[in-house]
Amino acid sequence: MALKVQKRRRFLYEPIQLNPPQILALLFLVLVLAGALLLKLPIASEKGVSWIDAFFTAVSAATVTGLVTVDPGSTFTLFGEIVILFLIQVGGLGIMSFAVLVVIMLGKRIGIKQRLIMQEALNQPSIGGVIRLVRNLLIFSLSIEAIAVILLSFRWVPDLGWGKGIYYSIFHTIAAYNNAGFGLWPDNLVRYVGDPMVNLVITLLIITGGIGFTVLVDLWYSKKWKELSLHSRIMIWSTLIVNIISILVFYTFEYNNPHTLGPLSSGEKIWAAYFQGISPRTAGFNTIDIGGMRQDSLLFMIMLMFIGAGSASTGGGIKLTTFIVIIFAVLTFLRGKQEVTVLKRSIRTGIILRALAIATISMLLVFTGVMLLAMTEKAPFLTILFEVVSAFGTVGLTMGLTFKLTLFGKIIIICVMFLGKIGPLTLAFSIARPDKSNIRYPDGDLFTG
Amino acid sequence: MALKVQKRRRFLYEPIQLNPPQILALLFLVLVLAGALLLKLPIASEKGVSWIDAFFTAVSAATVTGLVTVDPGSTFTLFGEIVILFLIQVGGLGIMSFAVLVVIMLGKRIGIKQRLIMQEALNQPSIGGVIRLVRNLLIFSLSIEAIAVILLSFRWVPDLGWGKGIYYSIFHTIAAYNNAGFGLWPDNLVRYVGDPMVNLVITLLIITGGIGFTVLVDLWYSKKWKELSLHSRIMIWSTLIVNIISILVFYTFEYNNPHTLGPLSSGEKIWAAYFQGISPRTAGFNTIDIGGMRQDSLLFMIMLMFIGAGSASTGGGIKLTTFIVIIFAVLTFLRGKQEVTVLKRSIRTGIILRALAIATISMLLVFTGVMLLAMTEKAPFLTILFEVVSAFGTVGLTMGLTFKLTLFGKIIIICVMFLGKIGPLTLAFSIARPDKSNIRYPDGDLFTG
Ligand SMILES: [K+]
Ligand SMILES: [K+]
């Protein structure tokens, strides 16, 4: 039986010579191209958009980034906005889980290959139960989104009327749950800086979408804290701790800044710090002017954007668990110990190696992006670094560079968004794969450090 | 016998509870404090220096960095300059190898503990032959320095007269061989941008001092290329390739820059690019104005400063081999392979893990330094990043911030120089040490990326 599956898998693989991450990348590309075509249609925009801006918007939506070279609200028609919304939902919930949904709806059985691809999309270690998982996650996601739409409508229907109010609630709910950072107001959510309803609903959507589906499922089926997997417990703890630290940092650093928290009332100050503490790890909404923040806050924000959200979530970045593993490994090394332990569980060397590799390769990607943008754009270094890390972490925050990007700058950011979305996944897959190489070279000794 | 050594080692360790890297750090601290005291003496400076500037200069000299808060040439007397020179030579050749020299000169046998410390200082994997190695390296170093002094005198005696000419030749020879970047002219070596003798002698000293003693010894004893160790072959290849790429990058990027290569003759352009291509990986001399360079060149330079020179060399940074191991590991991961091979030798997982850990921890150190400086200093982000990486890699290049540092800024840079010098070594030691922990936790599964 296992042999048969093996053979079948090999048979399915050989004609196209693509591994799951490559297929995922290809499907993403198809989605993005289709999106760009739709956005380029005359009915999609008020006065037309260039090919590069249509493509940029499609990539930004499908990778749930939220960086925009044109203001979506005033540039695109209702049709165009729905295309964007569709790209966000498909990109955010994962092409693969979506594909499975389609297959289920069509009543077909899921083959081993589709399951493998999906397993890849969700970064799950085993195939079993993936189909059930995806069905549950879709039901759960749509339920959460429905509740959020109702809650936001209480705020926006009185403000904007029934039609526009409900539409704005749907748009921002989908964008927030998928951590996409797209907004229909040109200033994103700055006008709601002190609004409790908008702040709470949007941040809860961001956290739920960003913590990772496996954690949500785990929470759903576990009755006690102890029953949760190590991954879930680490995610919950670290999300809490990182968010609290971030809120305190922004509150302290920006308290007197006349461009950000300075002019706000004491209540608004807290809400603004709360919102900005949660949003940078991949969501990308903002209620204050990012370009007006202090250098130290911005650097802290760059770190948060680089770290990102949870594995198998709608978010990007190197992922919170990757960061946590690195921090614990570093502390272990510095204390001269060898065994890395988190919450009384030993972390295998393979996982540490993978985490360090993902972080290092991501830094190299960011470095390359910054290097290229430094050549093509005239902007301060921090602005460029911020833009590239925001694209890498599919965050969508900007210090104002996106609107001014040159053609080459746009192409670079498109590539970084694309690689930022599928890169860490591909990497996790590559490093986890067993080696098939037959040549064994003798070990060589090397001094490093 | 082995047991006796074990026991003796344990006996020696226990009363003070310090491991070799900690002893090394302590000795460094003593050297630096002694240096600061001497520089603070009235006979050391023309008009006196503050305690913080004396301490900063001592740390910068002992860590062979070359960052200066005061111009050494005009601030210090001949006595003060000789103190600096002494700190550079002692710091550069390594406190430990120097301690061994003292012990040899005093005719005492070297105990197991001293050997262990020295082994640490030289980052050597085995104790055997370390004493011979150190004696050879000192003879070799002094010979090389003597030849360089003679060659530089041909240039500087005609310019400055016998006394000053020879003194300047000695000072810059020691600074260059130890990759210390200190100069007696306020503009460093800018006035000799097109001088072949200065360019060649200084860069050859930089390369010889920076490639690592083990490579030099290996070259001395090996008759054929094949006899060289993997470490030596990688160092020679990568030094060559990285230098050539750097020279080409600076030549291309800066060719038309009116602040750097622009106004120079075509011959001077080549010399300037040649010099700047070799100097940033830890030496820290400059023949053009660093602050006038383009953003992309500066970013490239930051990368070179971070990479640094060879293990067991006078240089700093994460080390060239660390960088090469990471690049090869990344390429292996991206190709979906598991076995990392360099020059047909397999690199053990332990070495890859160590390289990635050193790079990651170094980045965290740089990040922390930049974060703190962003709080205390008013300067563009790139200037701050450049300064911190320069201090971390004990390079000594600056975009002009060092002179303007606040008191807190100076303290931060002092810490970064200190940690940059002893950090990677300590880390390499910690990670290489066998684990003594008895508690084994069960493995936990984690998704990263
Ligand atoms: K986003
Ligand atoms: K230096």
Side-chain angles (χ1 to χ4, degrees):
Chain A
M1 180 61 203
L3 215 142
K4 210 172 167 185
V5 169
Q6 272 272 338
K7 257 193 185 159
R8 193 171 161 197
R9 197 189 303 185
R10 204 168 281 164
F11 170 71
L12 277 161
Y13 275 163
E14 257 146 34
I16 34 170
Q17 297 280 358
L18 290 173
N19 58 31
Q22 288 167 333
I23 295 172
L24 199 65
L26 203 68
L27 283 174
F28 233 98
L29 208 61
V30 171
L31 177 71
V32 159
L33 287 174
L37 275 170
L38 288 171
L39 289 175
K40 183 66 184 164
L41 288 179
I43 53 157
S45 55
E46 306 279 359
K47 295 170 190 165
V49 284
S50 65
W51 272 110
I52 186 73
D53 286 334
F55 192 61
F56 193 101
T57 309
V59 172
S60 184
T63 60
V64 293
T65 303
L67 290 173
V68 282
T69 50
V70 292
D71 172 40
S74 59
T75 308
F76 295 105
T77 60
L78 183 64
F79 172 80
E81 287 170 18
I82 290 170
V83 169
I84 292 174
L85 213 51
F86 177 81
L87 291 171
I88 292 172
Q89 188 78 293
V90 176
L93 291 182
I95 292 173
M96 286 311 108
S97 57
F98 210 82
V100 173
L101 176 77
V102 173
V103 172
I104 291 171
M105 288 194 305
L106 292 176
K108 287 184 184 165
R109 265 196 81 248
I110 297 185
I112 181 78
K113 194 192 177 188
Q114 276 82 359
R115 266 193 259 181
L116 266 172
I117 296 169
M118 205 175 51
Q119 173 193 350
E120 186 56 25
L122 294 172
N123 200 9
Q124 285 292 319
S126 67
I127 300 175
V130 166
I131 300 168
R132 209 171 45 247
L133 176 73
V134 171
R135 190 160 39 193
N136 288 347
L137 96 82
L138 287 171
I139 294 167
F140 175 83
S141 301
L142 295 175
S143 311
I144 290 280
E145 289 184 349
I147 297 166
V149 168
I150 293 166
L151 289 173
L152 285 177
S153 296
F154 279 104
R155 184 73 192 85
W156 286 334
V157 167
D159 281 15
L160 310 165
W162 277 101
K164 202 174 175 188
I166 289 175
Y167 171 60
Y168 271 50
S169 301
I170 293 174
F171 190 98
H172 289 91
T173 291
I174 292 180
Y177 183 72
N178 291 295
N179 280 262
F182 276 88
L184 291 175
W185 288 284
D187 63 357
N188 206 291
L189 295 173
V190 173
R191 64 191 67 194
Y192 292 102
V193 61
D195 190 280
M197 181 69 101
V198 173
N199 272 293
L200 281 176
V201 174
I202 298 286
T203 51
L204 286 176
L205 284 170
I206 290 171
I207 293 171
T208 314
I211 205 161
F213 300 137
T214 54
V215 179
L216 296 174
V217 172
D218 208 2
L219 278 172
W220 188 263
Y221 287 107
S222 304
K223 297 228 161 58
K224 290 178 199 153
W225 175 255
K226 280 277 166 198
E227 283 178 25
L228 290 174
S229 71
L230 174 68
H231 180 85
S232 299
R233 280 180 291 150
I234 290 180
M235 274 308 297
I236 293 165
W237 267 119
S238 55
T239 299
L240 202 67
I241 292 167
V242 171
N243 281 349
I244 289 172
I245 291 173
S246 307
I247 292 166
L248 291 176
V249 164
F250 291 127
Y251 187 76
T252 322
F253 286 13
E254 297 293 326
Y255 192 87
N256 285 318
N257 186 341
H259 305 294
T260 58
L261 299 197
L264 302 179
S265 72
S266 42
E268 285 174 335
K269 275 190 172 73
I270 294 172
W271 279 120
Y274 165 80
F275 194 90
Q276 252 58 236
I278 291 170
S279 179
R281 281 187 310 103
T282 234
F285 289 97
N286 57 297
T287 58
I288 56 172
D289 175 28
I290 302 297
M293 292 175 81
R294 286 162 51 100
Q295 280 200 155
D296 41 15
S297 301
L298 289 166
L299 186 60
F300 188 80
M301 203 172 253
I302 286 172
M303 187 191 71
L304 292 177
M305 298 198 296
F306 187 76
I307 295 172
S311 292
S313 80
T314 55
I318 61 168
K319 304 293 177 296
L320 196 46
T321 37
T322 309
F323 176 72
I324 296 293
V325 166
I326 289 172
I327 292 298
F328 275 79
V330 165
L331 292 176
T332 307
F333 294 151
L334 292 182
R335 275 161 47 213
K337 307 249 180 233
Q338 292 274 304
E339 195 189 14
V340 178
T341 55
V342 184
L343 296 176
K344 296 201 176 170
R345 281 283 176 286
S346 180
I347 308 298
R348 271 180 288 116
T349 309
I351 291 174
I352 297 164
L353 191 66
R354 194 167 62 192
L356 290 170
I358 288 171
T360 310
I361 296 176
S362 300
M363 293 221 182
L364 288 176
L365 173 61
V366 167
F367 177 84
T368 310
V370 172
M371 191 79 192
L372 292 172
L373 273 195
M375 291 185 203
T376 62
E377 312 301 306
K378 281 204 191 300
F381 183 76
L382 185 59
T383 309
I384 291 175
L385 177 64
F386 195 95
E387 190 82 6
V388 173
V389 176
S390 177
F392 162 75
T394 65
V395 179
L397 295 173
T398 180
M399 286 171 68
L401 184 58
T402 330
F403 275 107
K404 299 175 201 152
L405 285 175
T406 61
L407 176 64
F408 283 106
K410 285 174 187 174
I411 293 169
I412 294 161
I413 292 293
I414 286 172
C415 294
V416 175
M417 287 193 285
F418 196 81
L419 292 173
K421 190 70 196 172
I422 65 155
L425 207 62
T426 308
L427 217 57
F429 174 82
S430 298
I431 302 173
R433 215 156 48 141
D435 197 8
K436 280 160 203 153
S437 158
N438 287 320
I439 310 160
R440 283 283 310 173
Y441 291 110
D443 282 1
D445 219 341
L446 262 191
F447 317 134
T448 52
Chain B
M1 179 62 204
L3 216 142
K4 211 172 168 184
V5 169
Q6 272 273 335
K7 258 192 184 158
R8 192 171 162 199
R9 197 188 304 183
R10 203 168 283 163
F11 170 72
L12 277 161
Y13 276 163
E14 258 147 33
I16 33 169
Q17 296 280 358
L18 289 175
N19 58 31
Q22 287 167 333
I23 296 172
L24 198 63
L26 204 68
L27 284 173
F28 233 99
L29 209 62
V30 171
L31 176 71
V32 160
L33 287 174
L37 275 171
L38 288 171
L39 288 176
K40 183 67 185 164
L41 290 179
I43 52 157
S45 55
E46 305 281 358
K47 295 169 190 164
V49 283
S50 64
W51 273 109
I52 185 74
D53 286 335
F55 191 62
F56 193 101
T57 309
V59 172
S60 184
T63 59
V64 292
T65 304
L67 289 174
V68 282
T69 50
V70 291
D71 172 40
S74 59
T75 308
F76 295 105
T77 59
L78 183 64
F79 173 80
E81 286 170 18
I82 288 170
V83 170
I84 292 173
L85 212 52
F86 177 80
L87 291 172
I88 292 173
Q89 188 77 294
V90 176
L93 292 181
I95 291 172
M96 287 312 107
S97 57
F98 208 82
V100 172
L101 175 77
V102 173
V103 172
I104 290 171
M105 287 193 306
L106 293 176
K108 287 185 184 160
R109 266 196 81 248
I110 297 186
I112 182 78
K113 193 190 179 189
Q114 275 82 356
R115 266 194 258 182
L116 264 174
I117 296 168
M118 205 176 50
Q119 173 193 350
E120 187 54 26
L122 293 172
N123 198 9
Q124 285 293 319
S126 67
I127 300 175
V130 166
I131 300 168
R132 208 171 46 247
L133 177 73
V134 171
R135 190 161 37 192
N136 288 347
L137 97 81
L138 287 172
I139 295 168
F140 176 82
S141 300
L142 295 175
S143 312
I144 289 281
E145 289 185 348
I147 296 167
V149 169
I150 293 167
L151 289 173
L152 284 177
S153 296
F154 278 104
R155 185 72 193 85
W156 285 334
V157 167
D159 281 16
L160 310 165
W162 276 102
K164 203 173 174 188
I166 289 176
Y167 171 60
Y168 270 50
S169 301
I170 292 173
F171 191 97
H172 288 92
T173 291
I174 292 179
Y177 182 72
N178 291 295
N179 279 264
F182 276 87
L184 292 175
W185 288 284
D187 63 357
N188 207 291
L189 295 172
V190 172
R191 63 192 68 193
Y192 291 103
V193 61
D195 190 280
M197 181 68 101
V198 174
N199 271 294
L200 281 176
V201 174
I202 298 286
T203 51
L204 285 176
L205 284 170
I206 290 171
I207 293 172
T208 313
I211 204 161
F213 300 138
T214 54
V215 179
L216 295 174
V217 172
D218 207 3
L219 277 172
W220 187 263
Y221 288 107
S222 304
K223 297 229 160 59
K224 290 178 200 154
W225 176 255
K226 281 275 166 196
E227 283 179 24
L228 291 173
S229 71
L230 175 68
H231 180 85
S232 299
R233 280 180 291 150
I234 290 180
M235 275 307 297
I236 293 165
W237 267 118
S238 55
T239 300
L240 201 68
I241 292 167
V242 171
N243 282 349
I244 289 172
I245 291 173
S246 307
I247 293 166
L248 291 176
V249 164
F250 291 126
Y251 188 77
T252 321
F253 285 13
E254 297 293 326
Y255 191 87
N256 285 318
N257 186 341
H259 304 293
T260 58
L261 300 197
L264 303 179
S265 73
S266 41
E268 285 174 334
K269 276 190 173 71
I270 293 172
W271 279 120
Y274 165 80
F275 194 90
Q276 251 59 237
I278 290 169
S279 178
R281 281 187 309 104
T282 235
F285 290 97
N286 56 295
T287 58
I288 57 173
D289 174 27
I290 302 297
M293 292 175 80
R294 286 163 52 100
Q295 279 200 156
D296 41 15
S297 301
L298 289 166
L299 186 61
F300 189 79
M301 202 171 255
I302 286 171
M303 187 190 72
L304 293 177
M305 297 197 297
F306 187 76
I307 294 172
S311 291
S313 79
T314 55
I318 60 167
K319 305 292 179 295
L320 197 46
T321 37
T322 309
F323 176 71
I324 296 294
V325 166
I326 288 171
I327 292 297
F328 275 79
V330 166
L331 292 176
T332 306
F333 294 151
L334 291 182
R335 276 160 47 212
K337 306 250 182 234
Q338 293 274 306
E339 196 189 13
V340 178
T341 55
V342 184
L343 296 176
K344 296 199 176 173
R345 282 283 176 284
S346 180
I347 308 297
R348 270 179 289 115
T349 309
I351 292 174
I352 297 164
L353 192 66
R354 196 167 61 193
L356 289 170
I358 288 170
T360 309
I361 296 175
S362 300
M363 293 223 183
L364 288 175
L365 172 61
V366 167
F367 177 85
T368 311
V370 171
M371 191 79 192
L372 292 172
L373 273 194
M375 291 184 201
T376 63
E377 312 301 306
K378 280 202 191 303
F381 183 76
L382 185 59
T383 308
I384 291 174
L385 178 65
F386 195 94
E387 190 82 6
V388 173
V389 177
S390 178
F392 162 75
T394 65
V395 179
L397 295 174
T398 179
M399 286 172 67
L401 184 58
T402 330
F403 275 107
K404 300 174 201 153
L405 284 175
T406 61
L407 176 64
F408 283 106
K410 285 175 187 175
I411 293 169
I412 294 161
I413 292 293
I414 285 171
C415 294
V416 175
M417 287 193 286
F418 196 81
L419 291 173
K421 189 70 196 172
I422 65 153
L425 206 61
T426 309
L427 218 57
F429 174 82
S430 298
I431 302 174
R433 214 154 53 137
D435 196 9
K436 281 160 202 154
S437 157
N438 287 321
I439 310 161
R440 282 281 310 173
Y441 291 110
D443 281 359
D445 218 341
L446 262 192
F447 317 135
T448 51

